[in-house]
Amino acid sequence: MIERLRQILLKEFIHLFRDKQARFSLIVPPLLQMLIFGYAASYEVNRVSTAVLDFDHSQESRDFLERISASSRFQVREVLQNESQIPSLLDHRRVVLVLQIQPGFAELLRKGQTAPIQAVLDGTDSNTALIAVEYINQIAARFAQDYQLQLADRTRPTLATFAPNIELQERPWYNANLESRWFFVPGVIGTLVLVSVLQLTSFAVVREREIGTLEQLMVTPISPTELIVGKTLPFLIVGLANVVFVGILGSYWFEVPFRGNILVLLLGTTLFLSSALGVGLLISTVSQTQQQAFAISFFYITPAIMLSGFGYPIGSMPTTLQYLTNLDPLRFFLVVLRGTFIKGVGLSVLWPQMIAMAILGAATLTIATLRFHKTLD
Amino acid sequence: MTASNGYSVEVEKLVKRFGDFTAVDRISFQTRSGEVFGFLGPNGSGKSTTIRILCGLLHPTSGRAIVAGYDVVESPELIRRNIGYMSQKFSLYADLTVFENLRFYAGMYGVPAAELRGRIDWALEMAGLRGRESSLTGTLAGGWKQRLALGCAVLHRPPILFLDEPTSGVDPLSRRLFWELIQQMSSEGVTIFVTTHYMDEAEYCNRLALMNGGKLIALGTPTELKLGSIQGSLLLLECDRLGDAIERVRRLDNVRDVAVFGNALHLVVSDAAIAPTIRAALESYGILVTGLRVIRPSLEDAFVALTTRHGADDASELSP
């Protein structure tokens, strides 16, 4: 029993590490993907290409547009003379935003009335457009406030000191500078390890089916449990090593803090990987070729990432979908990853996620074991 | 290890269906211990399916099969300890060395530590791979791979060995060497169950089962099959214009069957005495007959005769 397990583990590790190409594909792609994701995945909107069209040519309109161009959020690329230039600029994505100030802007302000500014946006990328509008709003509010104060100062200096105001003092916990990279890097670790372990597991079984050694193994006295443990344990170890290596890269290269306990993270990873291994085995029971296994694992991975809260908040999904996310082990693993990296919380906070992953892992591994017969039909 | 009645494999009315397709159709036979039992038949005749049922890889649809005294449905795990199996693909791990493959399969079969070294040495010797223990298996030529696969399959000294087309894709010299190993194991009391479609290999078997369309159509020693298959006599006809000759000979009375063998024809006739009539008939059409004599039927003749007769039986069964 132990000898059989020892031999099958030994064999799997030879498969994993003997071939130069296999060694390479085990180490380099996850690190490379971490680097690419770490730089590319971000919600921050900076240097929005902007065009301005000022019909007012007043002190006030110039002052406003100056504030826009002084902000690092916007980059004024074009100064326009008439409206007919706008469509072509947006069509060609030369700019994402056009700010237009109508004649009479300053006059309205001086009369103490509301003065409009028009923002024309490329709504194709709705997220960027929304955030850009938010930034313009902030600049406009600030401008209006300063203008009111100046006006009061000049006309009724005594009253100016009494101008009531509210100031928001932002204190974001855990991520004081609201770096979106801190949100993404732990998420990337979760998705990377899911993809690599799922495919390694399903391919390892299907490859043996293709070359015929699975049939040969089935006529030996090996028990299904021995075979399954032998076929999954190596990839559990690979997955844990992946999390450690990619995690080190994330915290040293991208300076994402790791504030929690590494043992809590490794426990969470083990529970999460039991589901990934179970799904990988299930895929191998329904695939005859590695191409099939690849296609089926793709069908699992895409929704698993979509529903995990990796990029889209689960709270904003329709209720039915929110229920469905409870079947996605990645959803719970991301909470554990972000909890241990950014928040530094431990089991006293993360236990519900741990239990959920344990249940999902036990369920998938049981189904996979039941489906994994030692027969060909 | 073997059942008390002296049979190592007993099959009774075995049926295997895949959907509407009947791959194995009510076959029954027994093999004795130490026998080399050949399974002969065209591709898709049900040979491999039968072997897979006997190894516990496929569940029979109905019928019974006893291997080494155990029922294939009830105790497949006990059967697996008593059999060796080698599939058509010589299933070895190409990225493992020769030694690592042997060590792995020894581990799977639970070869005791005390015997391990000796069994692996024996397998290396048998496969002619001594000194190449650390070569990657993927770099070996076909004949060596085949003998290594055989070595892996018998490391645990099984009393019954199943070989599914073990010589496909192997050069003639290696095939001969392989059959010498088979004969040697058989003389040591191992029952060998082998499928093939090489007629010369079939001659090495103690008994042959002929399969066609899932049915067992003949069973016996090679000699029994050769003699029993042909009713009448077999004539070898050497002549020119083979195509014309076939047409002419078919139309003659007393000629039951005509088949091309190389650059000659084999004729099955009801009586060898009609040979002069045949020669005269062909010469009257201007065909030059260079030889016409009675021969002993080969296994191939038997095979052709039995499969065509079986096909005709099927047709008559279907007609109202």
Side-chain angles (χ1 to χ4, degrees):
Chain A
M1 165 81 194
I2 295 298
E3 176 59 15
R4 263 204 284 276
L5 208 54
R6 212 174 71 88
Q7 287 302 327
I8 196 164
L9 288 176
L10 189 68
K11 172 184 85 72
E12 291 302 325
F13 278 111
I14 292 174
H15 289 323
L16 277 174
F17 293 107
R18 172 153 295 163
D19 190 32
K20 222 184 244 165
Q21 205 183 330
R23 278 200 302 270
F24 178 87
S25 68
L26 220 52
I27 299 160
V28 177
L31 294 182
L32 214 60
Q33 285 173 37
M34 178 78 244
L35 282 175
I36 292 168
F37 269 102
Y39 282 115
S42 165
Y43 278 143
E44 274 150 43
V45 174
N46 280 315
R47 298 203 308 277
V48 176
S49 319
T50 307
V52 294
L53 180 52
D54 184 1
F55 286 126
D56 196 42
H57 300 294
S58 59
Q59 175 67 40
E60 283 82 349
S61 66
R62 273 194 295 276
D63 186 15
F64 178 79
L65 292 177
E66 214 140 88
R67 285 173 186 240
I68 293 287
S69 54
S71 158
S72 66
R73 307 291 187 188
F74 301 98
Q75 188 176 36
V76 177
R77 286 256 177 94
E78 306 269 345
V79 178
L80 308 182
Q81 302 307 320
N82 59 65
E83 287 171 321
S84 63
Q85 293 171 281
I86 297 174
S88 144
L89 282 175
L90 289 176
D91 284 350
H92 291 94
R93 283 196 67 84
R94 294 279 309 278
V95 300
V96 175
L97 166 70
V98 182
L99 284 173
Q100 185 178 336
I101 302 180
Q102 297 296 358
F105 173 77
E107 209 177 318
L108 285 166
L109 284 175
R110 285 172 205 147
K111 278 195 229 159
Q113 288 176 1
T114 303
I117 293 172
Q118 183 171 239
V120 181
L121 289 140
D122 178 353
T124 316
D125 180 355
S126 55
N127 190 49
T128 304
L130 264 170
I131 293 168
V133 166
E134 185 53 38
Y135 291 147
I136 299 165
N137 258 325
Q138 284 173 15
I139 291 171
R142 190 71 205 226
F143 176 83
Q145 204 189 349
D146 290 352
Y147 192 83
Q148 279 168 16
L149 279 172
Q150 278 175 24
L151 199 65
D153 225 16
R154 268 182 279 134
T155 51
R156 281 162 286 180
T158 42
L159 267 179
T161 48
F162 291 108
N165 195 14
I166 292 177
E167 191 190 30
L168 181 70
Q169 302 198 328
E170 292 177 356
R171 294 283 182 277
W173 277 25
Y174 312 120
N175 183 358
N177 296 322
L178 291 177
E179 298 251 15
S180 67
R181 190 176 280 166
W182 289 20
F183 174 74
F184 274 112
V185 164
V188 169
I189 297 173
T191 53
L192 281 186
V193 74
L194 170 68
V195 172
S196 87
V197 167
L198 193 69
Q199 296 195 334
L200 278 174
T201 314
S202 57
F203 283 15
V205 180
V206 175
R207 198 187 318 115
E208 290 219 30
R209 200 191 303 277
E210 276 183 336
I211 60 176
T213 45
L214 194 64
E215 190 172 323
Q216 197 70 46
L217 267 182
M218 282 172 172
V219 294
T220 72
I222 192 172
S223 74
T225 320
E226 288 167 333
L227 189 55
I228 284 172
V229 174
K231 278 277 165 204
T232 51
L233 203 56
F235 308 120
L236 175 68
I237 294 167
V238 169
L240 286 167
N242 251 335
V243 166
V244 172
F245 283 129
V246 179
I248 288 172
L249 183 67
S251 48
Y252 283 93
W253 188 264
F254 292 113
E255 297 175 329
V256 176
F258 185 80
R259 293 169 172 153
N261 186 335
I262 181 81
L263 293 178
V264 174
L265 176 61
L266 292 181
L267 172 68
T269 308
T270 307
L271 294 175
F272 168 67
L273 287 179
S274 58
S275 308
L277 295 167
V279 174
L281 274 183
L282 267 179
I283 291 172
S284 75
T285 60
V286 293
S287 312
Q288 295 301 317
T289 63
Q290 292 186 64
Q291 283 98 317
Q292 274 177 15
F294 183 79
I296 298 171
S297 62
F298 187 73
F299 276 113
Y300 175 80
I301 287 167
T302 312
I305 292 175
M306 291 287 182
L307 295 176
S308 68
F310 169 75
Y312 322 102
I314 293 170
S316 320
M317 295 174 189
T319 326
T320 354
L321 269 192
Q322 287 195 35
Y323 284 125
L324 203 59
T325 62
N326 288 316
L327 292 176
D328 183 359
L330 185 60
R331 178 220 152 126
F332 301 109
F333 187 43
L334 291 190
V335 176
V336 172
L337 278 164
R338 287 174 183 147
T340 48
F341 269 85
I342 313 299
K343 289 188 170 180
V345 292
L347 280 180
S348 60
V349 173
L350 296 173
W351 65 268
Q353 280 75 29
M354 297 288 186
I355 289 177
M357 288 193 292
I359 292 171
L360 288 174
T364 38
L365 274 177
T366 308
I367 297 170
T369 310
L370 290 177
R371 276 200 51 101
F372 200 90
H373 302 297
K374 272 183 77 183
T375 50
L376 298 171
D377 57 354
Chain B
M1 291 292 184
T2 327
S4 50
N5 55 15
Y7 294 125
S8 46
V9 177
E10 288 175 83
V11 171
E12 210 183 304
K13 297 194 182 102
L14 196 68
V15 176
K16 178 65 187 177
R17 287 196 197 91
F18 297 104
D20 289 339
F21 175 67
T22 305
V24 175
D25 197 356
R26 277 174 302 155
I27 64 171
S28 305
F29 63 87
Q30 292 100 17
T31 65
R32 283 181 290 271
S33 302
E35 186 171 39
V36 181
F37 190 85
F39 242 34
L40 206 60
N43 288 330
S45 58
K47 296 171 303 190
S48 294
T49 307
T50 306
I51 279 204
R52 285 175 171 167
I53 294 172
L54 296 179
C55 293
L57 286 170
L58 290 172
H59 288 297
T61 309
S62 67
R64 227 160 64 98
I66 308 287
V67 175
Y70 302 107
D71 189 294
V72 290
V73 178
E74 284 159 19
S75 20
E77 291 306 321
L78 288 169
I79 291 177
R80 287 187 182 123
R81 293 173 198 280
N82 289 298
I83 61 166
Y85 170 67
M86 184 178 150
S87 71
Q88 300 168 22
K89 292 183 180 173
F90 320 149
S91 309
L92 298 161
Y93 297 98
D95 55 343
L96 263 58
T97 65
V98 169
F99 180 81
E100 284 163 345
N101 265 298
L102 287 165
R103 184 74 192 77
F104 173 72
Y105 279 110
M108 290 306 106
Y109 280 111
V111 173
E115 289 177 34
L116 190 66
R117 194 64 237 186
R119 291 306 292 164
I120 290 181
D121 279 346
W122 171 84
L124 286 170
E125 191 68 48
M126 179 207 77
L129 284 168
R130 188 168 289 289
R132 298 194 62 177
E133 292 93 335
S134 45
S135 302
L136 283 183
T137 308
T139 64
L140 298 179
W144 272 314
K145 265 190 208 162
Q146 172 211 37
R147 289 194 296 274
L148 178 59
L150 178 68
C152 288
V154 297
L155 278 170
H156 56 304
R157 298 178 184 274
I160 306 174
L161 183 57
F162 291 95
L163 305 170
D164 194 3
E165 286 182 23
T167 53
S168 57
V170 169
D171 65 273
L173 193 68
S174 298
R175 271 173 58 194
R176 194 193 188 106
L177 216 59
F178 186 82
W179 274 96
E180 281 171 17
L181 291 170
I182 299 297
Q183 298 295 355
Q184 190 191 325
M185 280 187 225
S186 154
S187 69
E188 289 163 10
V190 178
T191 308
I192 290 150
F193 204 103
V194 57
T195 71
T196 182
H197 39 218
Y198 293 115
M199 295 301 160
D200 56 336
E201 290 187 357
E203 299 272 6
Y204 294 126
C205 298
N206 299 124
R207 277 199 308 152
L208 285 172
L210 203 63
M211 282 195 81
N212 195 25
K215 290 199 170 86
L216 189 67
I217 55 172
L219 182 68
T221 65
T223 316
E224 281 168 0
L225 286 188
K226 282 182 255 183
L227 294 178
S229 62
I230 288 171
Q231 291 147 340
S233 303
L234 188 68
L235 298 181
L236 174 80
L237 169 65
E238 287 166 315
C239 61
D240 64 352
R241 290 160 58 198
L242 277 186
D244 285 346
I246 292 173
E247 288 306 306
R248 298 298 172 198
V249 170
R250 273 218 178 105
R251 286 184 208 153
L252 296 174
D253 290 337
N254 300 323
V255 175
R256 294 224 188 89
D257 196 15
V258 186
V260 181
F261 272 73
N263 54 3
L265 299 179
H266 283 193
L267 316 182
V268 179
V269 294
S270 48
D271 186 354
I274 68 161
T277 332
I278 293 172
R279 179 187 287 265
L282 287 173
E283 278 169 353
S284 75
Y285 290 112
I287 293 169
L288 179 66
V289 178
T290 50
L292 183 62
R293 58 197 158 84
V294 179
I295 54 165
R296 265 188 60 163
S298 68
L299 257 186
E300 198 161 350
D301 293 308
F303 184 76
V304 171
L306 287 164
T307 44
T308 46
R309 191 194 304 161
H310 174 71
D313 283 354
D314 259 4
S316 65
E317 268 173 26
L318 287 174
S319 56

mmCIF file of all heavy atoms in Angstrom, chain B residues 168-191:
data_model
loop_
_atom_site.group_PDB
_atom_site.id
_atom_site.type_symbol
_atom_site.label_atom_id
_atom_site.label_comp_id
_atom_site.label_asym_id
_atom_site.label_seq_id
_atom_site.Cartn_x
_atom_site.Cartn_y
_atom_site.Cartn_z
ATOM 1 N N SER B 168 2.531 -6.415 -32.881
ATOM 2 C CA SER B 168 2.243 -5.455 -33.949
ATOM 3 C C SER B 168 3.340 -4.392 -33.986
ATOM 4 O O SER B 168 3.755 -3.879 -32.950
ATOM 5 C CB SER B 168 0.872 -4.817 -33.733
ATOM 6 O OG SER B 168 0.812 -4.196 -32.486
ATOM 7 N N GLY B 169 3.830 -4.107 -35.175
ATOM 8 C CA GLY B 169 4.841 -3.068 -35.347
ATOM 9 C C GLY B 169 6.231 -3.456 -34.892
ATOM 10 O O GLY B 169 7.034 -2.604 -34.549
ATOM 11 N N VAL B 170 6.525 -4.760 -34.863
ATOM 12 C CA VAL B 170 7.845 -5.206 -34.417
ATOM 13 C C VAL B 170 8.499 -5.993 -35.555
ATOM 14 O O VAL B 170 7.829 -6.714 -36.281
ATOM 15 C CB VAL B 170 7.687 -6.080 -33.157
ATOM 16 C CG1 VAL B 170 8.976 -6.770 -32.813
ATOM 17 C CG2 VAL B 170 7.219 -5.232 -31.993
ATOM 18 N N ASP B 171 9.818 -5.858 -35.694
ATOM 19 C CA ASP B 171 10.501 -6.505 -36.818
ATOM 20 C C ASP B 171 10.478 -8.031 -36.664
ATOM 21 O O ASP B 171 10.308 -8.550 -35.564
ATOM 22 C CB ASP B 171 11.933 -5.992 -36.923
ATOM 23 C CG ASP B 171 12.762 -6.375 -35.717
ATOM 24 O OD1 ASP B 171 12.729 -5.612 -34.719
ATOM 25 O OD2 ASP B 171 13.404 -7.433 -35.755
ATOM 26 N N PRO B 172 10.642 -8.795 -37.774
ATOM 27 C CA PRO B 172 10.471 -10.254 -37.748
ATOM 28 C C PRO B 172 11.402 -10.956 -36.750
ATOM 29 O O PRO B 172 10.990 -11.886 -36.061
ATOM 30 C CB PRO B 172 10.825 -10.672 -39.174
ATOM 31 C CG PRO B 172 10.576 -9.466 -39.994
ATOM 32 C CD PRO B 172 10.877 -8.297 -39.124
ATOM 33 N N LEU B 173 12.640 -10.482 -36.642
ATOM 34 C CA LEU B 173 13.580 -11.129 -35.736
ATOM 35 C C LEU B 173 13.095 -10.994 -34.284
ATOM 36 O O LEU B 173 13.126 -11.946 -33.508
ATOM 37 C CB LEU B 173 14.964 -10.495 -35.899
ATOM 38 C CG LEU B 173 16.095 -11.285 -35.245
ATOM 39 C CD1 LEU B 173 16.307 -12.609 -35.976
ATOM 40 C CD2 LEU B 173 17.366 -10.459 -35.234
ATOM 41 N N SER B 174 12.617 -9.788 -33.947
ATOM 42 C CA SER B 174 12.122 -9.563 -32.592
ATOM 43 C C SER B 174 10.879 -10.389 -32.325
ATOM 44 O O SER B 174 10.668 -10.876 -31.216
ATOM 45 C CB SER B 174 11.793 -8.082 -32.378
ATOM 46 O OG SER B 174 12.946 -7.309 -32.517
ATOM 47 N N ARG B 175 10.058 -10.569 -33.364
ATOM 48 C CA ARG B 175 8.846 -11.372 -33.202
ATOM 49 C C ARG B 175 9.214 -12.799 -32.864
ATOM 50 O O ARG B 175 8.627 -13.409 -31.976
ATOM 51 C CB ARG B 175 8.042 -11.373 -34.506
ATOM 52 C CG ARG B 175 7.064 -10.225 -34.602
ATOM 53 C CD ARG B 175 6.423 -10.157 -35.957
ATOM 54 N NE ARG B 175 5.723 -11.390 -36.313
ATOM 55 C CZ ARG B 175 5.318 -11.684 -37.521
ATOM 56 N NH1 ARG B 175 5.535 -10.835 -38.506
ATOM 57 N NH2 ARG B 175 4.697 -12.792 -37.762
ATOM 58 N N ARG B 176 10.229 -13.318 -33.550
ATOM 59 C CA ARG B 176 10.663 -14.686 -33.320
ATOM 60 C C ARG B 176 11.191 -14.838 -31.896
ATOM 61 O O ARG B 176 10.850 -15.776 -31.174
ATOM 62 C CB ARG B 176 11.749 -15.004 -34.335
ATOM 63 C CG ARG B 176 12.037 -16.450 -34.436
ATOM 64 C CD ARG B 176 13.307 -16.637 -35.211
ATOM 65 N NE ARG B 176 13.511 -18.038 -35.489
ATOM 66 C CZ ARG B 176 13.333 -18.551 -36.690
ATOM 67 N NH1 ARG B 176 12.937 -17.797 -37.690
ATOM 68 N NH2 ARG B 176 13.562 -19.831 -36.881
ATOM 69 N N LEU B 177 12.022 -13.870 -31.496
ATOM 70 C CA LEU B 177 12.596 -13.869 -30.154
ATOM 71 C C LEU B 177 11.492 -13.849 -29.099
ATOM 72 O O LEU B 177 11.540 -14.546 -28.091
ATOM 73 C CB LEU B 177 13.468 -12.618 -30.007
ATOM 74 C CG LEU B 177 14.738 -12.719 -29.200
ATOM 75 C CD1 LEU B 177 15.661 -13.758 -29.788
ATOM 76 C CD2 LEU B 177 15.431 -11.355 -29.189
ATOM 77 N N PHE B 178 10.480 -13.023 -29.391
ATOM 78 C CA PHE B 178 9.365 -12.868 -28.467
ATOM 79 C C PHE B 178 8.627 -14.191 -28.297
ATOM 80 O O PHE B 178 8.282 -14.593 -27.193
ATOM 81 C CB PHE B 178 8.421 -11.787 -29.007
ATOM 82 C CG PHE B 178 7.316 -11.428 -28.076
ATOM 83 C CD1 PHE B 178 7.525 -10.530 -27.050
ATOM 84 C CD2 PHE B 178 6.051 -11.975 -28.218
ATOM 85 C CE1 PHE B 178 6.509 -10.190 -26.186
ATOM 86 C CE2 PHE B 178 5.033 -11.643 -27.356
ATOM 87 C CZ PHE B 178 5.262 -10.746 -26.341
ATOM 88 N N TRP B 179 8.407 -14.873 -29.430
ATOM 89 C CA TRP B 179 7.679 -16.145 -29.346
ATOM 90 C C TRP B 179 8.471 -17.223 -28.633
ATOM 91 O O TRP B 179 7.903 -18.088 -27.973
ATOM 92 C CB TRP B 179 7.233 -16.600 -30.737
ATOM 93 C CG TRP B 179 5.917 -15.959 -31.051
ATOM 94 C CD1 TRP B 179 5.703 -14.829 -31.760
ATOM 95 C CD2 TRP B 179 4.637 -16.402 -30.598
ATOM 96 N NE1 TRP B 179 4.370 -14.526 -31.780
ATOM 97 C CE2 TRP B 179 3.691 -15.484 -31.077
ATOM 98 C CE3 TRP B 179 4.196 -17.474 -29.831
ATOM 99 C CZ2 TRP B 179 2.334 -15.606 -30.814
ATOM 100 C CZ3 TRP B 179 2.843 -17.611 -29.580
ATOM 101 C CH2 TRP B 179 1.922 -16.673 -30.062
ATOM 102 N N GLU B 180 9.800 -17.136 -28.717
ATOM 103 C CA GLU B 180 10.617 -18.079 -27.949
ATOM 104 C C GLU B 180 10.382 -17.873 -26.456
ATOM 105 O O GLU B 180 10.272 -18.825 -25.691
ATOM 106 C CB GLU B 180 12.103 -17.901 -28.286
ATOM 107 C CG GLU B 180 12.476 -18.568 -29.606
ATOM 108 C CD GLU B 180 13.875 -18.225 -30.067
ATOM 109 O OE1 GLU B 180 14.675 -17.742 -29.234
ATOM 110 O OE2 GLU B 180 14.160 -18.433 -31.263
ATOM 111 N N LEU B 181 10.269 -16.580 -26.057
ATOM 112 C CA LEU B 181 9.999 -16.278 -24.645
ATOM 113 C C LEU B 181 8.641 -16.830 -24.217
ATOM 114 O O LEU B 181 8.486 -17.374 -23.127
ATOM 115 C CB LEU B 181 10.024 -14.767 -24.417
ATOM 116 C CG LEU B 181 11.382 -14.097 -24.546
ATOM 117 C CD1 LEU B 181 11.233 -12.580 -24.541
ATOM 118 C CD2 LEU B 181 12.291 -14.538 -23.406
ATOM 119 N N ILE B 182 7.660 -16.686 -25.130
ATOM 120 C CA ILE B 182 6.305 -17.169 -24.834
ATOM 121 C C ILE B 182 6.319 -18.683 -24.622
ATOM 122 O O ILE B 182 5.750 -19.194 -23.656
ATOM 123 C CB ILE B 182 5.355 -16.805 -26.005
ATOM 124 C CG1 ILE B 182 5.274 -15.301 -26.200
ATOM 125 C CG2 ILE B 182 3.962 -17.397 -25.783
ATOM 126 C CD1 ILE B 182 4.703 -14.553 -25.058
ATOM 127 N N GLN B 183 7.012 -19.387 -25.537
ATOM 128 C CA GLN B 183 7.076 -20.852 -25.442
ATOM 129 C C GLN B 183 7.724 -21.266 -24.136
ATOM 130 O O GLN B 183 7.280 -22.200 -23.464
ATOM 131 C CB GLN B 183 7.879 -21.431 -26.621
ATOM 132 C CG GLN B 183 7.290 -21.170 -27.992
ATOM 133 C CD GLN B 183 5.946 -21.860 -28.220
ATOM 134 O OE1 GLN B 183 5.476 -22.621 -27.373
ATOM 135 N NE2 GLN B 183 5.303 -21.583 -29.346
ATOM 136 N N GLN B 184 8.770 -20.501 -23.743
ATOM 137 C CA GLN B 184 9.498 -20.838 -22.523
ATOM 138 C C GLN B 184 8.586 -20.677 -21.297
ATOM 139 O O GLN B 184 8.536 -21.535 -20.427
ATOM 140 C CB GLN B 184 10.712 -19.938 -22.423
ATOM 141 C CG GLN B 184 11.686 -20.357 -21.331
ATOM 142 C CD GLN B 184 12.721 -19.277 -21.118
ATOM 143 O OE1 GLN B 184 13.122 -18.608 -22.072
ATOM 144 N NE2 GLN B 184 13.136 -19.094 -19.877
ATOM 145 N N MET B 185 7.835 -19.565 -21.284
ATOM 146 C CA MET B 185 6.937 -19.331 -20.148
ATOM 147 C C MET B 185 5.858 -20.399 -20.093
ATOM 148 O O MET B 185 5.483 -20.867 -19.014
ATOM 149 C CB MET B 185 6.297 -17.957 -20.247
ATOM 150 C CG MET B 185 7.212 -16.856 -19.770
ATOM 151 S SD MET B 185 6.314 -15.308 -19.740
ATOM 152 C CE MET B 185 7.516 -14.264 -20.478
ATOM 153 N N SER B 186 5.362 -20.771 -21.260
ATOM 154 C CA SER B 186 4.328 -21.795 -21.320
ATOM 155 C C SER B 186 4.866 -23.114 -20.767
ATOM 156 O O SER B 186 4.181 -23.812 -20.021
ATOM 157 C CB SER B 186 3.875 -21.948 -22.768
ATOM 158 O OG SER B 186 3.366 -23.226 -22.992
ATOM 159 N N SER B 187 6.124 -23.437 -21.080
ATOM 160 C CA SER B 187 6.702 -24.696 -20.585
ATOM 161 C C SER B 187 6.868 -24.646 -19.073
ATOM 162 O O SER B 187 6.942 -25.675 -18.416
ATOM 163 C CB SER B 187 8.039 -24.970 -21.270
ATOM 164 O OG SER B 187 8.990 -24.025 -20.831
ATOM 165 N N GLU B 188 6.920 -23.436 -18.510
ATOM 166 C CA GLU B 188 7.001 -23.300 -17.052
ATOM 167 C C GLU B 188 5.614 -23.313 -16.400
ATOM 168 O O GLU B 188 5.484 -23.078 -15.205
ATOM 169 C CB GLU B 188 7.741 -22.007 -16.674
ATOM 170 C CG GLU B 188 9.236 -22.081 -16.980
ATOM 171 C CD GLU B 188 9.905 -20.712 -17.013
ATOM 172 O OE1 GLU B 188 9.268 -19.725 -16.614
ATOM 173 O OE2 GLU B 188 11.058 -20.650 -17.458
ATOM 174 N N GLY B 189 4.573 -23.522 -17.214
ATOM 175 C CA GLY B 189 3.232 -23.679 -16.648
ATOM 176 C C GLY B 189 2.356 -22.436 -16.728
ATOM 177 O O GLY B 189 1.240 -22.425 -16.226
ATOM 178 N N VAL B 190 2.843 -21.363 -17.361
ATOM 179 C CA VAL B 190 2.050 -20.146 -17.466
ATOM 180 C C VAL B 190 1.039 -20.307 -18.610
ATOM 181 O O VAL B 190 1.409 -20.742 -19.705
ATOM 182 C CB VAL B 190 2.957 -18.928 -17.730
ATOM 183 C CG1 VAL B 190 2.137 -17.664 -17.898
ATOM 184 C CG2 VAL B 190 3.979 -18.766 -16.623
ATOM 185 N N THR B 191 -0.204 -19.994 -18.341
ATOM 186 C CA THR B 191 -1.210 -20.002 -19.400
ATOM 187 C C THR B 191 -1.071 -18.709 -20.187
ATOM 188 O O THR B 191 -1.035 -17.624 -19.594
ATOM 189 C CB THR B 191 -2.626 -20.055 -18.809
ATOM 190 O OG1 THR B 191 -2.688 -21.138 -17.904
ATOM 191 C CG2 THR B 191 -3.669 -20.207 -19.888
#
